[in-house]
């Protein structure tokens, strides 16, 4: 069953999704999260994915998946305002060409957005740069600097500053380590100790 | 394991109920030529209708006795192939106005006892769907598990979803458009002028005159081929390659691409014996296709009654019906919160790609068809459980 192999990150996201909501998953991969949400939250909605092989997998799962490049097509070309209760984007904010504009679009077509990304400000990254003098390369950032999809890495603080600037309200935030476990210490120094953050945001009313 | 369908025999349905056509004309009676592959299951839930493209016909798969060439989509239909005939009952009919067995301009008009020729009424996509629905009833099928088509066939699929929402569970629309662009119509018009200005056209009564407008038809086909291929494809296939390896400074065939086009045109006009009036009718039907026209030019509104689940596929280098045209369909379906998946397949083959092998295309196709199969099984179970 999908639920048994569901990644911890997806489990955390699923906790935020209420039943029968409409969901758009940007960069939905093979559709695992949507599949889980359909089965356990009775949601409806769509996934968007650029990778052909992942598209095929998603179709096999019975997911409604639109093959689209998030960098060349606006989500607003496809969907009207407030079409979704949730627009989810997991581990993809840092790979798009303009995360700030995408965030605007996500919050245009959806009432709330759920975004997850690796924290560039984690102490290990800082240490690699500070002491080693190298761009960080580790479990959550496995690629070398010259060949990485992660072109817009940021820290939790950076992201929160962007939200502030854009008048975006952070409804909830969960900070976890690479095994997706929250630790006690992270509550006091999330930008140092958190490896991955899950944000739930909405437009300020 | 893929196997072959083997020898197939076309069938014919004679319909004596008059067909009221969109143009206002009435066809008093007509024949529909069709082929079927695989077998219909007991609850008749596994039937798939294939709609053919402009120059296509009902011979989609398998081969005729004594002939070596296979149907035009044999690669995708058969035992173990993406449309698995071990699982599905596949039907394809020759469109009305065609020239391969269904009543068309080359048929005898029962009222006059003469060949219809130019008197054959203008047919539209809606008329085709209407007549195919009669075939559906004849075959005793409540609803198609899927209606599938590429190019003009894809447009027919859209029309099916709009006109008979309860008779189609899945719609697979490949390399199509919601209506023709001015450029598309322009190409069609040049093709028609090529045929109609051929001295052998005889105002459309060339059969009675004992001739065929071969030159016009060949030109129309050459033009068609231009729009089916991508610039890239032509470049890689022919480049500026010369037939004799040198320039001769005359108007004979010098470049390979010229030779290819002439061959295609020639083949179409002579060997395939395509009826010139049919070509005119088909291109007109394409020009007229615009399902949104009846709904304030709003495609979303046109598709609002459609209940089918959709798979839309486009090809990156197709400039006849480009991915942008498929986007229009996708957008309209999304407006209606329809169940829809969309794939944009990377291919260098232009519009022709929908007939050619391609891993991504086949993967998407197979995955989606498997889903339809699973659903059909589900339906069979529910039905037998409820009975």
């Amino acid at each position: 069953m999908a639920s048994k192999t569901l990644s911890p990150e997806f489990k955390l996201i699923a906790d935020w999704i209420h039943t029968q909501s409409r969901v758009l998953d940007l960069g939905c991969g093979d559709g695992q999260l949507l599949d889980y949400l359909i089965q356990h939250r009775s949601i409806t909605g769509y996934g968007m994915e650029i990778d052909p092989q992942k598209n095929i997998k998603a179709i096999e799962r019975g997911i409604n998946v639109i093959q689209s490049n998030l960098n060349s097509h606006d989500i607003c070309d496809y969907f009207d305002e407030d079409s979704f209760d949730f627009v989810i984007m997991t581990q993809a904010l840092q790979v798009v060409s303009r995360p700030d504009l995408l965030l605007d679009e996500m919050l245009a077509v959806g009432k709330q957005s759920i975004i997850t990304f690796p924290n560039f400000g984690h102490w290990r990254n800082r240490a690699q740069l500070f002491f080693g003098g190298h761009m960080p390369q580790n479990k959550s950032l496995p690629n070398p600097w010259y060949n990485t999809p992660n072109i817009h890495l940021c820290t939790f603080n950076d992201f929160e500053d962007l939200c502030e600037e854009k008048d975006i309200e952070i409804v909830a935030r969960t900070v976890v380590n690479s095994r997706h476990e929250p630790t006690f210490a992270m509550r006091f120094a999330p930008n140092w100790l958190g490896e991955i953050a899950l944000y739930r945001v909405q437009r300020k009313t | 394991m893929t196997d072959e369908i083997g020898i197939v025999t076309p069938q014919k349905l004679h319909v004596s109920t008059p067909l009221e056509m969109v143009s206002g004309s009435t066809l008093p009676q007509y024949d529909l030529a069709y082929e079927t592959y695989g077998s219909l299951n007991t609850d008749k839930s596994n039937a798939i209708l294939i709609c053919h493209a402009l120059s296509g016909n009902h011979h989609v798969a398998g081969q005729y006795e004594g002939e070596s060439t296979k149907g035009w989509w044999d690669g995708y239909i058969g035992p173990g192939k993406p449309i698995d005939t071990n699982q599905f009952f596949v039907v394809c009919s020759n469109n009305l106005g065609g020239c391969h067995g269904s009543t068309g301009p080359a048929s005898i008009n029962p009222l006059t006892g003469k060949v219809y020729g130019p008197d054959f009424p203008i047919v539209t996509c809606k008329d085709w769907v209407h007549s195919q629905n009669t075939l559906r009833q004849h075959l005793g099928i409540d609803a198609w598990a899927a209606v599938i088509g590429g190019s003009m066939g894809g447009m027919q699929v859209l029309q099916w979803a709009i006109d008979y929402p309860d008779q189609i569970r899945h719609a697979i629309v490949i390399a199509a458009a919601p209506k023709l662009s001015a450029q598309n119509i322009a190409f069609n018009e040049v093709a028609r002028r090529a045929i109609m200005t051929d001295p052998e056209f005889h105002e459309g009564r060339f059969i009675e005159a004992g001739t065929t407008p071969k030159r016009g038809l060949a030109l129309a086909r050459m033009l068609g081929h231009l729009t089916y291929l991508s610039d890239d494809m032509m470049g890689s296939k022919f480049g500026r390659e010369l037939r004799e390896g040198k320039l001769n400074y005359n108007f004979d065939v010098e470049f390979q691409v010229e030779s290819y086009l002439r061959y295609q045109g020639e083949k179409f006009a002579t060997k395939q014996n395509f009826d010139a009036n049919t070509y005119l009718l088909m291109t007109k039907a394409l020009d007229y296709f615009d399902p949104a026209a009846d709904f304030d030019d709003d495609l979303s509104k046109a598709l609002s009654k459609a209940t089918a689940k959709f798979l839309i596929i486009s090809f990156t280098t197709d400039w006849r019906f480009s991915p942008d045209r498929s986007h229009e369909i996708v957008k309209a379906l999304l407006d209606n919160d329809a169940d829809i998946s969309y794939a944009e397949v990377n291919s260098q083959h232009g519009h022709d790609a929908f007939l050619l092998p391609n891993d991504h295309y086949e993967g998407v196709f197979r995955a989606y068809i498997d889903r339809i199969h699973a659903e059909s099984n589900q339906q069979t179970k529910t039905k037998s459980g409820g009975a």
Side-chain angles (χ1 to χ4, degrees):
Chain A
M1 271 308 284
S3 60
K4 279 182 189 151
T5 54
L6 193 72
S7 81
E9 182 170 313
F10 287 175
K11 272 201 181 108
L12 291 168
I13 293 171
D15 286 343
W16 279 339
I17 308 285
H18 41 78
T19 50
Q20 298 193 323
S21 45
R22 279 192 67 70
V23 177
L24 174 64
D25 186 358
L26 300 177
C28 69
D30 62 8
Q32 197 195 23
L33 176 60
L34 281 171
D35 195 11
Y36 181 87
L37 293 174
I38 289 166
Q39 289 182 40
H40 295 86
R41 298 283 183 278
S42 308
I43 63 112
T44 53
Y46 302 97
M48 284 187 143
E49 176 59 51
I50 177 75
D51 183 275
Q53 290 312 314
K54 289 176 182 164
N55 257 285
I56 294 171
K57 288 260 162 54
I59 290 174
E60 276 169 9
R61 282 176 187 268
I63 302 297
N64 289 324
V65 58
I66 311 293
Q67 193 188 1
S68 181
N69 185 345
L70 295 178
N71 284 331
S72 63
H73 276 289
D74 293 345
I75 317 171
C76 300
D77 287 346
Y78 293 95
F79 304 105
D80 296 332
E81 264 184 41
D82 284 336
S83 296
F84 299 97
D85 298 303
F86 298 100
V87 179
I88 303 171
M89 189 167 63
T90 55
Q91 304 289 334
L93 185 76
Q94 72 279 5
V95 308
V96 299
S97 63
R98 285 295 298 270
D100 56 332
L101 301 182
L102 188 59
L103 200 57
D104 287 339
E105 289 185 32
M106 289 172 74
L107 285 171
V109 301
K111 296 185 182 87
Q112 289 198 339
S113 287
I114 294 171
I115 294 146
T116 75
F117 59 90
N119 179 23
F120 198 68
H122 184 258
W123 68 267
R124 211 180 288 122
N125 296 337
R126 298 192 201 199
Q128 281 186 351
L129 188 59
F130 188 83
F131 295 112
H134 290 290
M135 280 298 281
Q137 207 180 332
N138 49 54
K139 211 176 149 195
S140 33
L141 298 169
N143 309 91
W145 66 271
Y146 49 84
N147 178 20
T148 175
N150 303 322
I151 53 171
H152 284 120
L153 287 160
C154 67
T155 71
F156 299 167
N157 287 353
D158 290 329
F159 181 75
E160 289 178 21
D161 285 350
L162 178 66
C163 290
E164 177 77 35
E165 207 175 290
K166 286 188 165 293
D167 238 12
I168 293 168
E169 182 189 342
I170 296 168
V171 185
R173 184 188 76 178
T174 302
V175 174
V176 291
N177 62 20
S178 61
R179 291 187 300 280
H180 291 85
E181 295 155 341
T183 63
F184 184 71
M186 276 178 204
R187 291 171 58 177
F188 299 100
N191 206 33
W192 277 94
L193 302 175
E195 286 175 72
I196 293 162
L198 295 83
Y199 282 91
R200 182 150 59 96
V201 300
Q202 64 184 24
R203 276 162 285 164
K204 273 185 191 157
T205 41
Chain B
M1 264 286 287
T2 60
D3 206 351
E4 296 304 325
I5 284 183
I7 304 297
V8 293
T9 320
Q11 302 172 63
K12 207 169 263 191
L13 169 69
H14 179 74
V15 183
S16 44
T17 322
L19 182 74
E20 305 288 338
M21 303 171 90
V22 171
S23 65
S25 310
T26 305
L27 207 55
Q29 50 174 290
Y30 61 93
D31 290 336
L32 278 186
Y34 67 98
E35 282 177 22
T36 71
Y37 324 99
S39 42
L40 191 60
N41 59 10
T42 42
D43 64 353
K44 298 172 178 179
S45 65
N46 70 334
I48 288 181
L49 176 70
I50 310 283
C51 300
H52 67 72
L54 197 153
S55 61
N57 56 46
H58 52 290
H59 186 38
V60 206
Q63 58 204 92
Y64 293 147
E65 187 81 63
E67 281 183 26
S68 58
T69 49
K70 289 178 177 161
W72 56 268
W73 219 16
D74 190 81
Y76 278 79
I77 300 167
K81 293 179 183 173
I83 302 175
D84 191 343
T85 46
N86 290 327
Q87 295 166 347
F88 291 103
F89 176 61
V90 183
V91 181
C92 182
S93 66
N94 184 208
N95 283 341
L96 218 47
C99 54
H100 295 98
S102 290
T103 301
S107 312
I108 302 290
N109 181 347
L111 299 179
T112 62
K114 288 182 184 166
V115 170
Y116 271 108
D119 301 330
F120 194 86
I122 291 277
V123 281
T124 64
C125 206
K126 225 175 153 63
D127 299 322
W128 288 332
V129 170
H130 189 168
S131 65
Q132 282 175 321
N133 192 48
T134 306
L135 176 62
R136 178 191 63 77
Q137 289 164 329
H138 167 74
L139 295 169
I141 295 158
D142 294 331
W144 302 106
V147 182
I148 304 172
S151 191
M152 189 178 90
M155 297 172 177
Q156 220 164 311
V157 177
L158 277 180
Q159 195 73 57
W160 257 103
I162 293 167
D163 289 355
Y164 297 96
D166 297 334
Q167 274 73 47
I168 161 174
R169 290 201 292 275
H170 288 269
I172 304 186
V173 180
I174 307 162
K179 63 182 172 203
L180 261 57
S181 67
Q183 190 194 41
N184 295 145
I185 295 172
F187 274 112
N188 281 347
E189 173 58 6
V190 177
R192 283 192 294 266
R193 292 312 295 161
I195 291 170
M196 295 171 86
T197 55
D198 186 321
E200 303 296 335
F201 183 64
H202 296 281
E203 307 284 308
R205 303 200 187 276
F206 47 87
I207 294 179
E208 285 167 88
T211 177
T212 46
K214 279 183 194 146
R215 266 170 297 174
L217 203 51
L219 276 177
R221 185 60 171 172
M222 285 167 79
L223 187 70
H225 262 276
L226 280 185
T227 68
Y228 303 152
L229 299 176
S230 68
D231 190 16
D232 276 0
M233 188 60 215
M234 278 204 184
S236 63
K237 198 169 177 179
F238 309 107
R240 291 178 54 84
E241 207 181 309
L242 296 167
R243 228 175 143 201
E244 295 175 20
K246 62 177 175 67
L247 292 172
N248 291 322
Y249 297 98
N250 62 30
F251 292 104
D252 292 339
V253 171
E254 291 192 276
F255 292 94
Q256 285 294 12
V257 65
E258 296 174 298
S259 160
Y260 168 81
L261 282 179
R262 284 198 194 187
Y263 168 75
Q264 289 295 340
E266 203 67 21
K267 189 173 83 171
F268 189 65
T270 55
K271 285 196 195 120
Q272 285 171 249
N273 205 13
F274 203 91
D275 183 74
N277 283 320
T278 289
Y279 203 89
L280 299 180
L281 280 177
M282 297 288 159
T283 57
K284 266 289 173 189
L286 274 167
D287 291 359
Y288 290 134
F289 178 73
D290 182 9
D294 296 335
F295 299 86
D296 308 324
D297 288 320
D298 183 343
L299 187 63
S300 306
K301 227 191 249 182
L303 284 162
S304 65
K305 286 205 179 71
T307 51
K309 295 175 181 175
F310 284 82
L311 171 65
I312 313 288
I313 302 176
S314 71
F315 299 91
T316 48
T317 53
D318 182 353
W319 59 276
R320 182 182 171 90
F321 300 135
S322 72
D324 280 348
R325 307 308 312 278
S326 285
H327 268 239
E328 293 173 36
I329 303 169
V330 171
K331 172 76 177 93
L333 289 165
L334 289 175
D335 284 345
N336 287 301
D337 298 338
D339 278 306
I340 168 196
S341 286
Y342 169 66
E344 194 171 306
V345 175
N346 210 334
S347 164
Q348 63 161 162
H349 293 282
H351 188 59
D352 257 354
F354 87 92
L355 292 169
L356 299 170
N358 177 304
D359 285 345
H360 180 201
Y361 180 27
E362 192 176 325
V364 166
F365 207 84
R366 204 180 268 275
Y368 197 85
I369 298 281
D370 284 350
R371 218 160 110 179
I372 299 174
H373 178 58
E375 260 176 48
S376 298
N377 277 353
Q378 197 68 33
Q379 199 161 6
T380 307
K381 273 186 206 157
T382 326
K383 267 193 185 170
S384 54

Coordinates of all heavy atoms in Angstrom, one line a residue, chain B residues 313-355:
Chain B
I313 N -2.6 14.3 -25.9 CA -1.2 14.2 -26.2 C -0.8 15.1 -27.4 O -1.5 15.2 -28.3 CB -0.9 12.7 -26.6 CG1 -1.2 11.7 -25.5 CG2 0.6 12.5 -26.9 CD1 -1.1 10.3 -25.8
S314 N 0.3 15.8 -27.2 CA 0.8 16.6 -28.3 C 2.3 16.3 -28.6 O 2.9 15.6 -27.7 CB 0.6 18.1 -28.0 OG 1.6 18.5 -27.0
F315 N 2.8 16.8 -29.7 CA 4.2 16.5 -30.0 C 5.0 17.8 -30.2 O 4.5 18.7 -30.9 CB 4.3 15.6 -31.3 CG 3.6 14.3 -31.0 CD1 2.3 14.1 -31.3 CD2 4.3 13.2 -30.5 CE1 1.6 12.9 -31.1 CE2 3.7 12.0 -30.2 CZ 2.3 11.8 -30.5
T316 N 6.2 17.8 -29.7 CA 6.9 19.1 -29.6 C 7.1 19.8 -31.0 O 7.0 21.0 -31.1 CB 8.3 18.9 -28.9 OG1 8.9 17.7 -29.5 CG2 8.2 18.7 -27.4
T317 N 7.4 19.0 -32.0 CA 7.8 19.6 -33.3 C 6.6 19.7 -34.3 O 6.7 20.0 -35.4 CB 8.9 18.9 -34.0 OG1 8.6 17.5 -34.1 CG2 10.2 19.1 -33.3
D318 N 5.4 19.3 -33.7 CA 4.2 19.4 -34.6 C 3.8 20.8 -34.8 O 3.4 21.5 -33.8 CB 3.1 18.6 -33.9 CG 1.8 18.5 -34.7 OD1 1.7 19.2 -35.8 OD2 0.9 17.8 -34.3
W319 N 3.9 21.3 -36.0 CA 3.5 22.7 -36.2 C 2.1 22.8 -36.9 O 1.6 23.9 -37.0 CB 4.6 23.5 -36.9 CG 4.9 23.0 -38.3 CD1 5.8 21.9 -38.5 CD2 4.4 23.4 -39.5 NE1 5.8 21.7 -39.9 CE2 5.0 22.6 -40.5 CE3 3.5 24.4 -39.9 CZ2 4.7 22.7 -41.9 CZ3 3.2 24.5 -41.3 CH2 3.8 23.7 -42.3
R320 N 1.6 21.7 -37.4 CA 0.3 21.7 -37.9 C -0.7 21.9 -36.8 O -1.5 22.8 -36.9 CB 0.0 20.4 -38.7 CG -1.3 20.3 -39.4 CD -1.5 19.0 -40.1 NE -2.8 18.7 -40.5 CZ -3.2 19.1 -41.8 NH1 -2.4 19.6 -42.6 NH2 -4.5 18.8 -42.2
F321 N -0.7 21.0 -35.8 CA -1.5 21.2 -34.6 C -0.5 21.2 -33.4 O -0.2 20.1 -32.8 CB -2.5 20.1 -34.5 CG -3.5 20.1 -35.6 CD1 -3.9 18.9 -36.2 CD2 -4.1 21.3 -36.1 CE1 -4.8 18.9 -37.3 CE2 -5.0 21.3 -37.2 CZ -5.3 20.1 -37.8
S322 N 0.1 22.3 -33.1 CA 1.2 22.4 -32.2 C 0.7 22.1 -30.7 O -0.5 22.1 -30.5 CB 1.8 23.8 -32.2 OG 0.9 24.7 -31.7
P323 N 1.6 21.9 -29.8 CA 1.3 21.7 -28.4 C 0.4 22.9 -27.9 O -0.5 22.6 -27.1 CB 2.6 21.7 -27.7 CG 3.6 21.1 -28.7 CD 3.1 21.6 -30.0
D324 N 0.6 24.1 -28.4 CA -0.2 25.2 -27.9 C -1.7 24.9 -28.2 O -2.6 25.4 -27.5 CB 0.2 26.5 -28.6 CG 1.4 27.1 -28.0 OD1 1.8 26.6 -26.9 OD2 2.0 28.0 -28.6
R325 N -2.0 24.3 -29.3 CA -3.4 24.0 -29.7 C -4.0 23.0 -28.7 O -5.1 23.0 -28.3 CB -3.5 23.5 -31.1 CG -2.9 24.3 -32.2 CD -3.3 25.8 -32.1 NE -4.7 26.0 -32.0 CZ -5.6 26.0 -33.0 NH1 -5.2 25.8 -34.2 NH2 -6.9 26.2 -32.8
S326 N -3.1 22.0 -28.3 CA -3.6 21.0 -27.3 C -3.8 21.7 -26.0 O -4.7 21.3 -25.2 CB -2.6 19.9 -27.2 OG -2.7 19.0 -28.3
H327 N -3.0 22.7 -25.7 CA -3.1 23.5 -24.4 C -4.5 24.1 -24.3 O -5.1 24.2 -23.3 CB -2.1 24.6 -24.4 CG -0.8 24.2 -23.7 ND1 -0.3 24.8 -22.6 CD2 0.0 23.2 -23.9 CE1 0.8 24.2 -22.2 NE2 1.0 23.2 -23.0
E328 N -5.0 24.5 -25.5 CA -6.3 25.2 -25.5 C -7.4 24.1 -25.0 O -8.3 24.5 -24.2 CB -6.7 25.6 -26.9 CG -5.8 26.8 -27.4 CD -6.1 27.1 -28.9 OE1 -7.3 27.0 -29.3 OE2 -5.2 27.4 -29.6
I329 N -7.2 22.9 -25.5 CA -8.1 21.9 -25.1 C -8.0 21.6 -23.6 O -8.9 21.5 -22.8 CB -7.9 20.6 -25.9 CG1 -8.1 20.9 -27.4 CG2 -8.9 19.5 -25.5 CD1 -7.6 19.8 -28.3
V330 N -6.7 21.4 -23.2 CA -6.4 21.1 -21.8 C -7.0 22.2 -20.9 O -7.6 21.9 -19.9 CB -4.8 21.1 -21.6 CG1 -4.5 21.0 -20.1 CG2 -4.3 19.9 -22.3
K331 N -6.8 23.5 -21.2 CA -7.3 24.6 -20.4 C -8.8 24.5 -20.3 O -9.3 24.7 -19.2 CB -6.8 25.9 -21.1 CG -7.4 27.1 -20.4 CD -6.7 27.5 -19.1 CE -7.2 28.8 -18.5 NZ -8.3 28.6 -17.5
A332 N -9.5 24.2 -21.4 CA -10.9 24.2 -21.4 C -11.4 23.1 -20.5 O -12.4 23.2 -19.8 CB -11.5 24.0 -22.8
L333 N -10.7 21.9 -20.5 CA -11.1 20.8 -19.6 C -10.8 21.1 -18.2 O -11.6 20.7 -17.3 CB -10.3 19.5 -20.1 CG -10.8 19.0 -21.4 CD1 -9.8 18.0 -22.0 CD2 -12.2 18.3 -21.3
L334 N -9.7 21.8 -17.9 CA -9.3 22.1 -16.5 C -10.4 23.1 -16.0 O -10.8 23.1 -14.8 CB -7.9 22.8 -16.5 CG -6.8 21.8 -16.7 CD1 -5.5 22.6 -16.7 CD2 -6.7 20.7 -15.6
D335 N -10.9 24.0 -16.9 CA -11.9 24.9 -16.4 C -13.1 24.2 -15.9 O -13.9 24.7 -15.1 CB -12.4 25.8 -17.6 CG -11.4 26.9 -17.9 OD1 -10.5 27.2 -17.1 OD2 -11.5 27.5 -19.0
N336 N -13.3 23.0 -16.5 CA -14.5 22.2 -16.1 C -14.2 21.2 -15.0 O -15.0 20.3 -14.7 CB -15.1 21.5 -17.3 CG -15.8 22.4 -18.2 OD1 -16.8 23.1 -17.8 ND2 -15.3 22.5 -19.5
D337 N -13.0 21.3 -14.4 CA -12.5 20.3 -13.4 C -12.6 18.9 -13.9 O -12.9 18.0 -13.1 CB -13.3 20.5 -12.1 CG -13.2 21.8 -11.5 OD1 -12.2 22.5 -11.8 OD2 -14.1 22.3 -10.7
A338 N -12.4 18.7 -15.2 CA -12.5 17.4 -15.7 C -11.3 16.5 -15.3 O -10.3 17.0 -14.9 CB -12.5 17.4 -17.3
D339 N -11.5 15.2 -15.4 CA -10.4 14.3 -15.1 C -9.5 14.3 -16.4 O -10.0 13.9 -17.5 CB -10.9 12.9 -14.9 CG -11.3 12.7 -13.4 OD1 -10.4 13.0 -12.6 OD2 -12.4 12.3 -13.2
I340 N -8.3 14.8 -16.3 CA -7.5 14.9 -17.5 C -6.0 14.8 -17.2 O -5.5 15.2 -16.2 CB -7.8 16.3 -18.2 CG1 -6.7 16.5 -19.3 CG2 -7.8 17.4 -17.3 CD1 -6.5 17.9 -19.8
S341 N -5.4 14.1 -18.1 CA -3.9 14.0 -18.1 C -3.4 14.5 -19.5 O -4.1 14.4 -20.5 CB -3.4 12.6 -17.9 OG -3.6 12.2 -16.5
Y342 N -2.3 15.2 -19.4 CA -1.7 15.7 -20.6 C -0.2 15.4 -20.8 O 0.5 15.5 -19.8 CB -1.9 17.2 -20.6 CG -1.1 18.0 -21.7 CD1 -1.5 17.8 -23.1 CD2 -0.1 18.8 -21.4 CE1 -0.7 18.4 -24.1 CE2 0.7 19.5 -22.4 CZ 0.3 19.2 -23.8 OH 1.0 19.9 -24.8
A343 N 0.1 14.9 -21.9 CA 1.6 14.7 -22.2 C 2.0 15.4 -23.4 O 1.3 15.4 -24.5 CB 1.8 13.2 -22.4
E344 N 3.2 16.0 -23.3 CA 3.8 16.7 -24.4 C 5.0 15.9 -24.8 O 6.0 15.9 -24.1 CB 4.2 18.1 -24.1 CG 4.5 19.0 -25.2 CD 4.6 20.5 -24.8 OE1 3.7 21.0 -24.2 OE2 5.7 21.1 -25.1
V345 N 4.9 15.1 -25.9 CA 5.9 14.1 -26.2 C 7.0 14.8 -27.1 O 6.7 15.4 -28.1 CB 5.3 12.9 -27.0 CG1 6.4 12.0 -27.5 CG2 4.3 12.2 -26.1
N346 N 8.3 14.5 -26.7 CA 9.4 15.0 -27.4 C 9.6 14.2 -28.6 O 9.8 13.0 -28.5 CB 10.6 14.9 -26.5 CG 11.6 16.0 -26.8 OD1 11.7 16.5 -27.9 ND2 12.4 16.4 -25.8
S347 N 9.5 14.8 -29.8 CA 9.7 14.0 -31.0 C 10.1 15.0 -32.1 O 9.8 16.1 -32.1 CB 8.3 13.4 -31.4 OG 8.4 13.0 -32.8
Q348 N 10.9 14.5 -33.0 CA 11.4 15.3 -34.1 C 10.6 15.1 -35.3 O 10.8 15.7 -36.4 CB 12.9 15.1 -34.4 CG 13.1 13.6 -34.9 CD 14.5 13.5 -35.6 OE1 14.9 12.4 -35.8 NE2 15.0 14.6 -36.1
H349 N 9.5 14.3 -35.2 CA 8.8 13.9 -36.4 C 7.6 14.8 -36.8 O 6.8 14.4 -37.7 CB 8.3 12.4 -36.3 CG 9.5 11.5 -36.3 ND1 10.1 11.1 -37.5 CD2 10.1 10.8 -35.4 CE1 11.1 10.3 -37.2 NE2 11.1 10.1 -35.9
G350 N 7.4 15.9 -36.2 CA 6.3 16.8 -36.5 C 5.0 16.1 -36.3 O 4.8 15.3 -35.4
H351 N 4.0 16.5 -37.1 CA 2.6 16.0 -36.9 C 2.6 14.5 -37.1 O 1.8 13.8 -36.5 CB 1.7 16.7 -38.0 CG 0.3 16.4 -37.8 ND1 -0.4 16.8 -36.6 CD2 -0.6 15.9 -38.6 CE1 -1.7 16.4 -36.7 NE2 -1.8 15.9 -37.9
D352 N 3.4 14.0 -38.0 CA 3.5 12.5 -38.3 C 3.8 11.7 -37.0 O 3.5 10.5 -37.0 CB 4.5 12.2 -39.3 CG 3.9 12.0 -40.7 OD1 2.7 11.9 -40.8 OD2 4.7 11.9 -41.7
A353 N 4.3 12.3 -36.0 CA 4.8 11.6 -34.8 C 3.7 10.7 -34.2 O 4.0 9.7 -33.6 CB 5.3 12.6 -33.8
F354 N 2.4 11.1 -34.4 CA 1.4 10.4 -33.7 C 1.2 9.0 -34.3 O 0.5 8.1 -33.7 CB 0.0 11.2 -33.7 CG -0.8 11.0 -34.9 CD1 -1.8 10.0 -35.0 CD2 -0.7 11.8 -36.0 CE1 -2.7 9.9 -36.1 CE2 -1.5 11.7 -37.1 CZ -2.5 10.8 -37.1
L355 N 1.8 8.7 -35.5 CA 1.7 7.4 -36.1 C 3.0 6.6 -35.9 O 3.1 5.4 -36.3 CB 1.4 7.5 -37.6 CG 0.0 8.1 -37.9 CD1 0.0 8.4 -39.4 CD2 -1.1 7.1 -37.6

